[in-house]
Amino acid sequence: MDASAVCTDGTSTTGPGSQDGAHRRKVSKDVQMDIEHLCKAVPQLATAFNILDKIGEGTFSSVYLGEARMRDGRKELFALKHLIPTSHPTRIAAELQCLTAAGGRENVMGVTYCFRRDDHVVIVMPYMEHRALVEIIGSLSFAEVRLYVYHLLKALRHIHQFGIIHRDIKPNNFLYNRRSGVYALVDFGLAQGTADTKIELLKDLGGLRRTPRPVFGERNLNSCTPAPSTTAPDARKAEEALSWRLSSASRAAGRTLSSSSQKPQRAVQPGLTCDCFLTDRVCNICMSRKQQVAPRAGTPGFRAPEVLTKCPDQGTAIDVWSAGVILLSLLSGRYPFFKAGDDLTALAQIMTVRGSRETIRAAKTFGKAVVCSQELPPQDLRTLCETLRGRRRSSTGEGVPPAMADACRNRMDGASARGPADAAEPSLQKQESLSSCERTESLVKPNLEAEEEVEDWDRVPDEAYHLLDRLLDLNPNTRISAAEALQHPLFKGL
Ligand code: ADP
Ligand code: MG
Ligand code: ZN
């Protein structure tokens, strides 16, 4: 980039000057201070950019809006992502490599430049104007929703071809400019590689995986089924042997859809026999087990069942699940759809929509045992979405059929998911229940445009719910891929 500009001048108004008020912005004192800190930490920035505002703030980065004067005199806007200085160098390099290798096309954000000074790294990207989905969800037409999901799937197909698992697919990371119809997938800060990834640096991330942060009530969701005794190494300490057998049990279960009984078998070491599987208790063996280490990055409400249950084998299908949660949100008009603070709550919420038996059965295919204290039938997706949208009335004319009202109000109260070794069973409080039961406040007041949309939402084709069902397949091995989803009849003609 060849640009000349100045850093902020110390006043609370930033901008290129009075003759060009287009990008003049009022910023708060706090933002002003953050901008000054950034300019001090990375002085080279000031030679290229006039930093106008802070536009994003997350756990791992702050994103600023910068204006650069290009060689031909034009001014261009850029997003400057300042990564927290404690980020691991390989992590940072991997994020950059994802952007440089896969970005700049197919609805994936590109990268323009990168600044580094000491441990401060700033990734420069073209600025894309966008609004948060939560602000516009109430006014989106079905036609827009269809296009949005199509473009999201296009981005996913593209990164998945590179062997990139994004791991944090959610609306905040998929920028959408409604006016121009432009989309961009951002934030590869949690990305991981598939076994055959084309992104070299993602291969190096294996060793960097953090041990999952312990969360109350979500210990040891693993199946207690021991592996055949003949394969158990006898010289190891009991705990090591157990964790070894457990991981090989999950691997075996992940490969084949085993129909064999999961009742605990007798193990070689008598002390290791677990007898708590499918009971309401937690046996001492399970209590003393080490936590299984599996990647768990992302936002609970968007995490796939295999992520929530810490299945060690996770692939690109986890991003597809998240896309399904986004479609569920868009079709029902509720955002966020699953509002869960922890993984077990998220799993219980999934069960209220997809069914408890179905979830348990799917978890079994990837070697995980899930117990639910209450049987929850799967819901018909069209009925669910139309009811939440307020487009389906009960025969008594109350707006919500009793079954759905029940689903919304009471369903979560008694339901909880647990693993065999949960020390205490987490019970879901009313306020933690499916957020979709509360109408989002973003509903836009009716206007001409909105009236047209009423018609639009009355004609949601079955294909939309069929695709939703395929994206939200509880079993990652049969879940539709992004490439397949793009061929779905819903997108005919696109
Ligand atoms: P984090 O890892 O902190 O979530 P992101 O890369 O997701 O960082 O960026 C945070 C926010 O900054 C995004 O949700 C988006 O609103 C904004 N943002 C990021 N990149 C751009 C960009 N290229 N153009 C415009 N806004 C951006
Ligand atoms: Mg983000
Ligand atoms: Zn046990």
Side-chain angles (χ1 to χ4, degrees):
M1 179 188 317
D2 194 82
S4 66
V6 288
C7 193
T8 48
D9 54 11
T11 66
S12 62
T13 305
T14 62
S18 54
Q19 68 271 50
D20 178 8
H23 302 128
R24 256 186 116 77
R25 285 174 176 239
K26 275 251 179 275
V27 297
S28 73
K29 267 259 164 313
D30 284 352
V31 168
Q32 184 68 24
M33 267 165 57
D34 288 348
I35 292 174
E36 279 164 23
H37 271 128
L38 177 63
C39 288
K40 267 205 198 96
V42 192
Q44 314 94 293
L45 274 182
T47 64
F49 296 100
N50 188 3
I51 301 173
L52 306 172
D53 203 351
K54 187 189 244 186
I55 52 174
E57 167 104 73
T59 326
F60 303 108
S61 78
S62 296
V63 181
Y64 296 86
L65 176 65
E67 183 187 57
R69 191 186 291 278
M70 311 308 280
R71 209 177 269 177
D72 60 8
R74 277 178 311 112
K75 284 172 182 167
E76 239 176 74
L77 292 174
F78 292 89
L80 314 174
K81 180 170 178 173
H82 179 214
L83 305 171
I84 55 157
T86 50
S87 309
H88 193 282
T90 309
R91 182 74 266 173
I92 296 172
E95 177 168 0
L96 265 170
Q97 204 172 44
C98 289
L99 288 165
T100 51
R105 59 215 143 106
E106 298 284 306
N107 302 324
V108 179
M109 180 55 71
V111 59
T112 311
Y113 202 82
C114 185
F115 289 93
R116 180 179 84 90
R117 199 204 188 201
D118 302 329
D119 48 0
H120 291 274
V121 174
V122 177
I123 300 175
V124 181
M125 298 166 273
Y127 171 70
M128 188 184 140
E129 203 184 328
H130 64 280
R131 280 178 73 190
L133 190 73
V134 66
E135 290 174 26
I136 57 170
I137 191 168
S139 66
L140 287 177
S141 65
F142 171 69
E144 285 173 289
V145 164
R146 175 171 166 262
L147 274 173
Y148 180 99
V149 173
Y150 176 78
H151 284 284
L152 172 60
L153 288 166
K154 240 174 108 167
L156 291 185
R157 175 181 62 186
H158 182 64
I159 64 164
H160 292 171
Q161 279 166 355
F162 281 82
I164 300 172
I165 311 171
H166 185 282
R167 299 202 67 89
D168 199 15
I169 295 297
K170 58 181 177 182
N172 285 354
N173 288 335
F174 189 59
L175 314 186
Y176 171 39
N177 186 315
R178 202 175 179 185
R179 222 167 353 103
S180 57
V182 176
Y183 306 81
L185 179 63
V186 298
D187 199 355
F188 289 86
L190 296 172
Q192 277 179 342
T194 57
D196 56 350
T197 184
K198 297 191 176 81
I199 311 295
E200 281 303 314
L201 288 163
L202 289 181
K203 293 178 184 161
D204 301 339
L205 281 175
L208 281 183
R209 269 175 206 167
R210 281 173 303 155
T211 308
R213 148 188 68 97
V215 175
F216 172 72
E218 67 165 339
R219 234 171 9 195
N220 291 326
L221 261 168
N222 318 320
S223 158
C224 286
T225 315
S229 56
T230 48
T231 51
D234 44 25
R236 292 197 186 166
K237 279 195 301 191
E239 194 180 48
E240 281 169 355
L242 184 70
S243 65
W244 178 85
R245 289 189 303 121
L246 283 164
S247 59
S248 64
S250 352
R251 273 200 306 276
R255 269 198 305 273
T256 52
L257 215 157
S258 167
S259 60
S260 70
S261 158
Q262 285 211 354
K263 269 200 200 125
Q265 301 148 15
R266 193 143 264 288
V268 232
Q269 294 100 325
L272 291 180
T273 307
C274 167
D275 59 358
C276 77
F277 181 66
L278 285 186
T279 68
D280 259 0
R281 301 177 307 102
V282 182
C283 75
N284 286 336
I285 293 171
C286 290
M287 281 290 244
S288 64
R289 258 164 42 192
K290 275 190 189 146
Q291 271 203 84
Q292 181 155 26
V293 178
R296 265 188 52 243
T299 311
F302 293 94
R303 285 182 192 145
E306 66 271 26
V307 181
L308 296 171
T309 55
K310 299 189 197 169
C311 176
D313 274 337
Q314 297 176 18
T316 52
I318 70 168
D319 291 341
V320 173
W321 173 276
S322 308
V325 175
I326 295 177
L327 179 57
L328 179 60
S329 226
L330 293 170
L331 291 176
S332 63
R334 306 300 176 106
Y335 180 81
F337 194 92
F338 297 120
K339 197 164 79 187
D342 63 83
D343 286 356
L344 276 185
T345 308
L347 195 61
Q349 292 181 348
I350 287 173
M351 286 196 262
T352 68
V353 173
R354 304 301 277 156
S356 53
R357 270 172 192 270
E358 290 73 8
T359 306
I360 290 163
R361 200 189 310 131
K364 211 166 155 183
T365 67
F366 48 84
K368 295 293 177 176
V370 173
V371 179
C372 184
S373 55
Q374 186 186 329
E375 185 167 336
L376 303 162
Q379 305 207 38
D380 175 69
L381 294 171
R382 181 188 282 274
T383 310
L384 174 70
C385 292
E386 289 184 351
T387 307
L388 292 171
R389 246 186 200 283
R391 308 210 145 254
R392 190 172 274 260
R393 310 206 147 256
S394 71
S395 49
T396 53
E398 279 163 25
V400 180
M404 280 311 303
D406 182 54
C408 282
R409 276 189 229 109
N410 309 323
R411 219 174 174 194
M412 299 300 300
D413 297 346
S416 63
R418 62 184 295 266
D422 290 333
E425 180 165 347
S427 74
L428 298 165
Q429 304 302 312
K430 270 205 170 77
Q431 62 268 27
E432 279 186 317
S433 66
L434 223 59
S435 73
S436 47
C437 303
E438 310 138 21
R439 205 92 169 102
T440 46
E441 282 163 32
S442 59
L443 290 181
V444 165
K445 285 176 193 76
N447 54 28
L448 263 182
E449 226 179 301
E451 265 165 42
E452 270 171 39
E453 285 153 17
V454 169
E455 307 252 313
D456 184 349
W457 282 109
D458 278 343
R459 292 192 305 263
V460 178
D462 287 339
E463 284 81 6
Y465 296 104
H466 180 264
L467 177 64
L468 179 60
D469 181 60
R470 297 293 296 114
L471 297 171
L472 294 180
D473 186 338
L474 295 156
N475 182 349
N477 296 312
T478 52
R479 192 175 302 147
I480 197 168
S481 70
E484 288 161 354
L486 287 167
Q487 304 297 318
H488 193 275
L490 176 65
F491 302 126
K492 214 173 141 201
L494 285 180

